[in-house]
Amino acid sequence: MVLAVLTAVSAVGCGGSDESDGKAASGKRGSKSSAAQSSGSPSASAKPSVSAADGDDVGACADGDCEVAVSDPVTVRFKGPRGQATLTVTEVGPNKVEYAVKSGSGRSKGGASGPGQGCITVLRSNGSGNSCGGVGDGRPSAQPDAVVIQMAGGQDGTAILHIVSN
């Protein structure tokens, strides 16, 4: 289903991938002990107002499987197909989200605005891909040897981040 979404969704304010050296790095998955960290110090009034399985704890993403609510710019470290990967949320607002992902030597950016809009990024050991547009309410499906990232903006300025791997 995620593959169908990736190919069928029309791009809405979405950035494409940007390989830093034109080559995809290869490698094996990182260990389960990878750490996730957030940057900045959100204020008490910046608490996400929507619920997510892991609340607003970006540390839950370290193993490559989480659902968190994000209402401020944040950096999330997680296990990717090339080892340690980093997702940086650069902007969150009402029905708007922008982020960048780094995995190995590969880089990818996504951004969407409007009700029900978001982006899906699929990371594989040999590259990545993005698709932005309508993402629906559900969690994306896991794909073999890949990490699937879904980021969707909400009406109140809180985005839901899903990171799914198997």
Side-chain angles (χ1 to χ4, degrees):
M1 174 172 160
V2 170
L3 189 53
V5 170
L6 286 172
T7 57
V9 173
S10 64
V12 177
C14 181
S17 70
D18 172 29
E19 296 292 332
S20 62
D21 64 0
K23 296 185 275 185
S26 63
K28 296 193 179 209
R29 291 179 174 244
S31 69
K32 287 225 179 232
S33 63
S34 296
Q37 300 173 0
S38 65
S39 66
S41 50
S43 65
S45 64
K47 273 285 208 209
S49 62
V50 296
S51 63
D54 297 307
D56 63 354
D57 178 16
V58 296
C61 298
D63 64 356
D65 190 22
C66 66
E67 177 186 80
V68 295
V70 178
S71 57
D72 289 309
V74 67
T75 297
V76 181
R77 290 176 178 75
F78 61 96
K79 180 179 75 168
R82 301 178 195 170
Q84 181 77 9
T86 305
L87 178 141
T88 303
V89 178
T90 56
E91 187 173 349
V92 180
N95 294 313
K96 182 174 184 171
V97 65
E98 291 185 12
Y99 66 94
V101 180
K102 181 177 184 230
S103 178
S105 64
R107 296 184 191 328
S108 188
K109 292 182 179 183
S113 61
Q117 302 296 301
C119 296
I120 294 177
T121 301
V122 178
L123 303 176
R124 298 187 186 283
S125 62
N126 61 351
S128 65
N130 270 32
S131 181
C132 297
V135 293
D137 295 330
R139 179 179 174 94
S141 300
Q143 294 186 22
D145 301 319
V147 175
V148 180
I149 300 165
Q150 177 180 300
M151 190 84 170
Q155 285 182 308
D156 67 348
T158 298
I160 298 295
L161 165 64
H162 287 101
I163 299 177
V164 179
S165 60
N166 55 342

